Amino acid sequence: MATVTMAGVAAHFGRDIERTLAKLPGVIEQAREKGVDLLVLPDATIGGYLYDLQHPSVEVDSAPRAVDLDGPEVSAVAALARDMTVSFGVAERAVVDGAEVRYNTAVCVTGDGILGTHRKVHLPLGESDVYRAGAEFSAFDTPVGRLGMLIDFDKTFPESARSLVLDGAEILACLSAWPASVTDRSDRIRNDRQAHLFDLYDSARAAENQVYLVSSNQTGVLGGLRFLGQAKIVNPAGEIVAKTWAKGGLAIATADVSASIARARRSLNHINQRAEHAYRCTTSV
């Protein structure tokens, strides 16, 4: 595919799965009408996110309903996707060593089924009380090229995106349920510390790896969390070429991805010019 039209979604998806499945056809059809090839929906699209990051409780908070990756919810999104590549977040139900566990998972589908998945590796604050951490970052092939997925806090760590790019990813899809600061609230989201970091990480991960990054996020309020929106497309120079700000909507951009990456790496190739022998990968204490 010479050119790819990418879209990051800023939208509110709550705990009501049936309501979400009724809402998604409109979102996906709107993207289809705009010629979108890759649609990146937020983290926790199916089932919603936590109500509280500090002290989440499965019993009190009624944690997001977990679904099976081979269940009807994921199949319904795949059927809606048809020839479009669609990434979205779920609370995944899985069985490990005979025990049922929950992962915060990104799923990528077309009408043919699941192309790839990613289980969130970095769990901030109280997320580890609800979810089990994933264990790896792997890219995979899609109709729009080789793709890697991150889930919100994963993008805080440069190693996450770099691992995906070393595995051949040319596009990074970062799915988020990223709220405004819960400890240092601002009256205006644009002045919020987390809003600044959200944009900073998106641009940095794209620029340091010289790839495209499609960032999605939840909007609105769920429990005690107010989400930032700020879906965007970032090019290999780290420039934001499309953005929704705090409101819901689609951030859309079209590019010849492979050509743009080759042009960005023509003189300064951040991947080939690494000096692995000089880097410290573990702490000394």
Side-chain angles (χ1 to χ4, degrees), residues 13 44 140:
F13 294 98
F140 52 93

Side-chain angles (χ1 to χ4, degrees), residues 214-274:
V214 184
S215 178
S216 62
N217 198 15
Q218 293 265 1
T219 61
V221 175
L222 187 65
L225 302 178
R226 178 180 56 153
F227 297 104
L228 297 171
Q230 300 183 190
K232 67 181 72 64
I233 312 293
V234 188
N235 71 16
E239 300 165 337
I240 297 173
V241 295
K243 185 175 178 179
T244 65
W245 300 100
K247 295 182 179 180
L250 299 176
I252 302 176
T254 300
D256 185 328
V257 172
S258 294
S260 297
I261 291 174
R263 185 164 54 250
R265 295 176 179 175
R266 185 172 297 140
S267 297
L268 298 175
N269 188 316
H270 300 168
I271 301 304
N272 290 346
Q273 293 171 328
R274 287 174 299 123

Side-chain angles (χ1 to χ4, degrees), residues 159 162-163 166 274-285:
E159 298 87 351
R162 178 57 52 86
S163 296
L166 290 176
R274 287 174 299 123
E276 292 183 347
H277 64 278
Y279 306 145
R280 183 186 299 277
C281 296
T282 58
T283 60
S284 58
V285 292

Side-chain angles (χ1 to χ4, degrees), residues 33-34 46 58 70 94 98 110-111 126-127 161 163 173 190 193 209 221 228 256 267:
E33 290 173 355
K34 295 181 180 297
I46 303 294
V58 174
D70 60 356
T110 64
E127 266 200 13
S163 296
R190 70 175 59 186
R193 179 170 58 90
N209 292 293
V221 175
L228 297 171
D256 185 328
S267 297

Side-chain angles (χ1 to χ4, degrees), residues 12 25 52 68 76 83 170 174 215 241 243 246 248 273:
H12 178 71
D52 175 22
D68 299 314
D83 59 348
E170 292 190 321
C174 188
S215 178
V241 295
K243 185 175 178 179
Q273 293 171 328

